[in-house]
Amino acid sequence: MAQHLVVFTPSGKRGHFEAGTPILTAARKLGVDLDSVCGGRGICSKCQITPSYGEFPKHGVTVADGALSDWNSVEQRYQDKRGLTPGRRLGCQATVQGDVVIDVPPESQVHRQVVRKAAADIDIPLNPTVTLHVVEVEEPDMHKPSGDLERLVAALDAQAGLKQAQVDLHVLPSLQPTLRKGDWRVTCAVHDEGDGPRVMHVWPGVYDGSIYGMAVDLGSTTIAAHLCDLRTGDVVASSGLMNPQIRFGEDLMSRVSYAMMNPGGDAEMTAAVRDGMDALFTQIAAEAEIDKSLIMDAVFVCNPVMHHLFLGIDPFELGQAPFALATSDALRLRCADLGVNVHPSARAYLLPCIAGHVGADAAAVTLAEAPDKSEDLVLVVDVGTNAEIQLGNKSQVMACSSPTGPAFEGAQISAGQRAAPGAIEKVEIDPATKDPRFRVIGSDKWSDEDGFWDDIEGTGITGICGSGIIEVIAEMRLAGIVDASGLIGSADQVGTPRCIQDGRTNAYVLHDASATGGPLVKVTNPDIRAIQMAKAALYSGARLLMDKFEVDTVDRVVLAGAFGAHISPKHAMILGMIPDVPFEKVTSAGNAAGTGARIALIDKSQRAAIEATVRDIEKVETAVEPKFQEHFVNASALPNSSDPFPMLNAAVHLPDVNFNTGGGDAAAGGRRRRRRG
Ligand code: FES
């Protein structure tokens, strides 16, 4: 059959199509952005296009008068009832008859301008639980008495293929005026997650706007959310706020204790997190300049303690063996049940928890990073106050959590602070002079480069953030300032006045502005002990999973979480935080939990898929594993007193220094087992 050239503007996409191909079909085949919400039945008018006729040297095409099929009865019906802009055709009705140039006007493009921030750029198949459908409802007839709702349900069945739709109660009071206002044409927002369609909202006529969903990562420290357009899958705004529960305790265990010690404490924390969540939804809707009531679906991922507190469940049982969850399965609720005031019918989906200390956030990381589909053996670590660790490949995945505590976030560190302007985030130490250079959040220059001090004039240097503390300790180890047991040498032993006496041990001065009233930023032995304990907990969890897998090495390591995004693989390995692999095999997945939440929001088929995957993950409880303690003790050394780290040793030289002259007790602190937190 004859093939004709179709050129779309403004995209410039072009292709050849058989005579008789609808323009909407050609657009879809070429990936041209042309809208449709009625399935090409000629009633939504979202697919309007403007054909151009004549000579187009730029496109090398001449468009004859008969390049498109004749105006048809469906278009005429639309013209009679609603009116089409002159020159426009319906893309679902007009078919290709010759070479043609088609302009897609902005209002027919689904992908309107969007703002993307802080969301990973990934392609997710568009398959949301809530979709829009335009239908024409039969008018009432005295001779065939039936309710307006029953005729709407019949129209959804006949025109949108939605069988036996149910309707949320709040839709009913406004249904009759809406149908009449729309002249018996309405747009319905319909929820369907395999449990049957349910009408959530009805607009008169053809609704021109969009509907939205929120993907939320509810962490112990921050709540981060992406507002997504459910018609395009695009992220339209992202934002976050501090978890208001912080005032009840920095880490999870202190919040569990708060609930135990204070009658009603759990309810107080539930109210705090729900208020914070509602405020975040309001804030993001305002940023995106959308009506909050257009948010119709939300996916939440969180660790088990946050999961319970958000649901209004006392987390008491999670604080003691056997760490029983009140419920581990995925939950399908309404946003209103969780105190989130958006559309009255808005749904809420919580991913399943993997185990008592491996939450729905880890399940979301599984969804985003897919260790269960990996050919090679991958270790996925989500570093927070509790590290959630998964090891696996497509034949099996195991998971555990390890109590790293808040040291990696800069807490428990003498000059530690959260990652914020003014914090030292990168460090290099010259092995010969033992002098440092560093970078500070707020400037992209090193401290010995021109313009550095101008860049940070507003904040100055305020402390060291989590990634900075890891780098500085690793650099101190490389420069021979700290030994394998974690002890800092004295000025005489190391040969630099930057090593100063600090109580019974030594400290290394990274930055000293005390002469001018500024801060003295130093790394002390207790700082190193705190990091030793945190990293030993992390490594022991990973090592335990490797034991269970009966392997001594892994093929690659993925660091998830905001912190993981900033850790340098080399420095993490010098500290022995992660198993020995080539540096290039350590990658960062950014906020993988947030990405997993987005996947479950945009593609509903992934919900059942992750529920099945989670059921198959083998859970390992570190607290009851006898080998954990042994691994922990070995992992307290830098990098490890038992595991050899051959690849690390081939890549860097770790000086053979020993500062343990008998007086200090620095390394012993690293052997003390942390409580879970
Ligand atoms: Fe709805 Fe063409 S797709 S009118």
Side-chain angles (χ1 to χ4, degrees):
M1 195 178 278
Q3 297 271 324
H4 302 292
L5 175 65
V6 182
V7 180
F8 284 96
T9 60
S11 66
K13 289 187 174 159
R14 54 201 283 148
H16 286 87
F17 295 91
E18 283 182 2
T21 308
I23 295 298
L24 180 61
T25 308
R28 287 200 172 138
K29 290 218 164 108
L30 292 174
V32 170
D33 202 2
L34 181 57
D35 206 354
S36 154
V37 284
C38 74
R41 286 173 296 107
I43 56 173
C44 74
S45 87
K46 293 276 189 187
C47 62
Q48 289 183 44
I49 45 118
T50 313
S52 305
Y53 297 94
E55 295 281 341
F56 295 90
K58 182 173 152 208
H59 302 303
V61 56
T62 304
V63 183
D65 280 351
L68 288 185
S69 57
D70 289 342
W71 182 257
N72 72 9
S73 58
V74 175
E75 289 170 298
Q76 189 57 46
R77 190 185 60 151
Y78 195 91
Q79 173 78 304
D80 294 344
K81 275 195 143 178
R82 325 267 158 193
L84 264 177
T85 311
R88 294 267 178 93
R89 300 282 307 264
L90 293 180
C92 61
Q93 302 300 317
T95 65
V96 178
Q97 302 296 330
D99 293 350
V100 67
V101 175
I102 300 288
D103 185 55
V104 181
E107 60 270 31
S108 301
Q109 296 171 18
V110 194
H111 289 263
R112 297 179 191 93
Q113 202 78 36
V114 294
V115 191
R116 269 179 201 275
K117 288 198 295 199
D121 211 351
I122 48 163
D123 263 340
I124 307 170
L126 188 59
N127 181 22
T129 60
V130 188
T131 47
L132 295 180
H133 303 270
V134 178
V135 288
E136 286 187 324
V137 179
E138 239 182 76
E139 295 185 28
D141 179 345
M142 274 202 296
H143 304 294
K144 290 191 286 176
S146 67
D148 285 352
L149 173 63
E150 286 66 39
R151 273 174 279 109
L152 172 68
V153 169
L156 283 166
D157 184 344
Q159 297 167 38
L162 297 165
K163 300 269 174 247
Q164 296 176 345
Q166 303 287 313
V167 175
D168 282 342
L169 179 61
H170 74 89
V171 169
L172 287 178
S174 56
L175 182 63
Q176 293 201 306
T178 304
L179 283 166
R180 283 151 186 84
K181 187 171 173 202
D183 197 11
W184 301 97
R185 175 187 314 233
V186 287
T187 307
C188 300
V190 181
H191 176 270
D192 193 355
E193 215 198 312
D195 49 350
R198 226 182 148 87
V199 179
M200 299 171 70
H201 197 97
V202 182
W203 288 268
V206 177
Y207 168 60
D208 261 336
S210 211
I211 52 174
Y212 300 88
M214 196 77 90
V216 186
D217 178 12
L218 167 54
S220 331
T221 312
T222 51
I223 312 175
H226 300 301
L227 178 70
C228 301
D229 186 323
L230 293 181
R231 296 201 53 224
T232 64
D234 285 334
V235 176
V236 291
S238 300
S239 198
L241 49 76
M242 297 297 278
N243 187 332
Q245 285 185 346
I246 283 204
R247 66 175 185 269
F248 302 103
E250 277 264 343
D251 60 45
L252 290 175
M253 217 38 230
S254 45
R255 286 186 218 165
V256 174
S257 321
Y258 183 85
M260 287 176 180
M261 318 280 286
N262 299 278
D266 56 321
E268 247 183 289
M269 285 189 281
T270 296
V273 71
R274 288 183 176 178
D275 285 352
M277 188 67 75
D278 193 44
L280 180 61
F281 274 58
T282 305
Q283 176 191 321
I284 299 185
E287 270 173 36
E289 296 179 0
I290 65 147
D291 182 345
K292 195 180 167 193
S293 70
L294 291 170
I295 299 173
M296 297 196 160
D297 196 12
V299 171
F300 298 93
V301 304
C302 35
N303 62 53
V305 173
M306 293 315 309
H307 175 270
H308 278 40
L309 286 172
F310 188 41
L311 289 168
I313 303 168
D314 187 338
F316 176 80
E317 293 296 338
L318 297 173
Q320 55 182 25
F323 313 110
L325 288 153
T327 169
S328 58
D329 282 350
L331 293 172
R332 291 169 172 81
L333 308 165
R334 303 243 174 175
C335 284
D337 299 336
L338 298 167
V340 176
N341 299 303
V342 284
H343 188 277
S345 286
R347 302 308 204 266
Y349 175 75
L350 276 80
L351 265 75
C353 288
I354 297 177
H357 282 101
V358 192
D361 49 354
V365 170
T366 311
L367 194 48
E369 289 304 309
D372 55 314
K373 297 187 181 66
S374 174
E375 292 288 338
D376 51 9
L377 187 61
V378 57
L379 180 76
V380 184
V381 182
D382 194 350
V383 187
T385 49
N386 225 28
E388 293 175 326
I389 309 168
Q390 301 181 43
L391 176 66
N393 54 24
K394 62 182 192 179
S395 59
Q396 190 181 14
V397 176
M398 294 183 185
C400 72
S401 88
S402 213
T404 43
F408 288 150
E409 294 179 350
Q412 300 174 339
I413 305 295
S414 59
Q417 66 160 90
R418 291 195 190 286
I424 294 174
E425 57 166 350
K426 288 198 159 304
V427 181
E428 282 178 3
I429 298 177
D430 185 322
T433 65
K434 320 292 182 196
D435 284 336
R437 69 203 283 258
F438 45 79
R439 270 173 52 179
V440 166
I441 298 177
S443 171
D444 54 9
K445 300 190 179 76
W446 286 90
S447 54
D448 55 356
E449 288 176 348
D450 285 347
F452 169 80
W453 294 101
D454 295 338
D455 280 3
I456 62 160
E457 204 186 341
T459 58
I461 292 169
T462 48
I464 316 175
C465 70
S467 65
I469 190 77
I470 284 171
E471 293 209 0
V472 68
I473 296 173
E475 288 284 318
M476 286 166 69
R477 178 79 191 93
L478 272 179
I481 298 167
V482 70
D483 67 15
S485 75
L487 276 177
I488 300 172
S490 66
D492 284 348
Q493 287 168 321
V494 179
T496 172
R498 285 184 176 271
C499 287
I500 57 170
Q501 186 148 12
D502 186 67
R504 291 171 54 216
T505 54
N506 300 305
Y508 173 77
V509 175
L510 188 56
H511 171 69
D512 184 3
S514 54
T516 53
L520 171 63
V521 180
K522 58 185 180 177
V523 180
T524 66
N525 251 129
D527 294 341
I528 295 185
R529 281 205 296 276
I531 290 295
Q532 280 176 296
M533 285 195 281
K535 73 96 184 177
L538 172 52
Y539 184 82
S540 319
R543 194 71 192 77
L544 200 61
L545 294 186
M546 289 160 70
D547 288 351
K548 298 265 170 196
F549 240 94
E550 298 180 357
V551 296
D552 285 323
T553 54
V554 301
D555 295 319
R556 59 191 175 95
V557 177
V558 175
L559 298 173
F563 176 64
H566 295 106
I567 300 180
S568 128
K570 179 175 110 179
H571 294 107
M573 201 124 21
I574 290 170
L575 293 192
M577 278 176 72
I578 48 177
D580 192 38
V581 291
F583 298 151
E584 68 274 13
K585 291 286 186 187
V586 184
T587 54
S588 159
N591 179 10
T595 302
R598 265 171 68 208
I599 294 172
L601 177 70
I602 300 301
D603 181 2
K604 65 185 178 191
S605 72
Q606 295 300 321
R607 299 184 181 185
I610 190 61
E611 288 165 27
T613 303
V614 164
R615 277 193 288 275
D616 287 342
I617 292 179
E618 186 176 329
K619 295 89 182 166
V620 177
E621 181 47 68
T622 53
V624 296
E625 288 287 339
K627 282 283 267 184
F628 185 85
Q629 189 64 16
E630 185 185 326
H631 288 318
F632 187 87
V633 171
N634 293 334
S636 301
L638 305 175
N640 197 293
S641 60
S642 167
D643 294 349
F645 282 70
M647 284 179 260
L648 172 68
N649 282 309
V652 300
H653 170 67
L654 297 176
D656 188 15
V657 287
N658 179 1
F659 302 127
N660 191 354
T661 50
D665 184 33
R671 293 187 205 115
R672 276 197 295 272
R673 177 75 168 82
R674 280 187 52 78
R675 66 179 189 152
R676 183 173 288 281

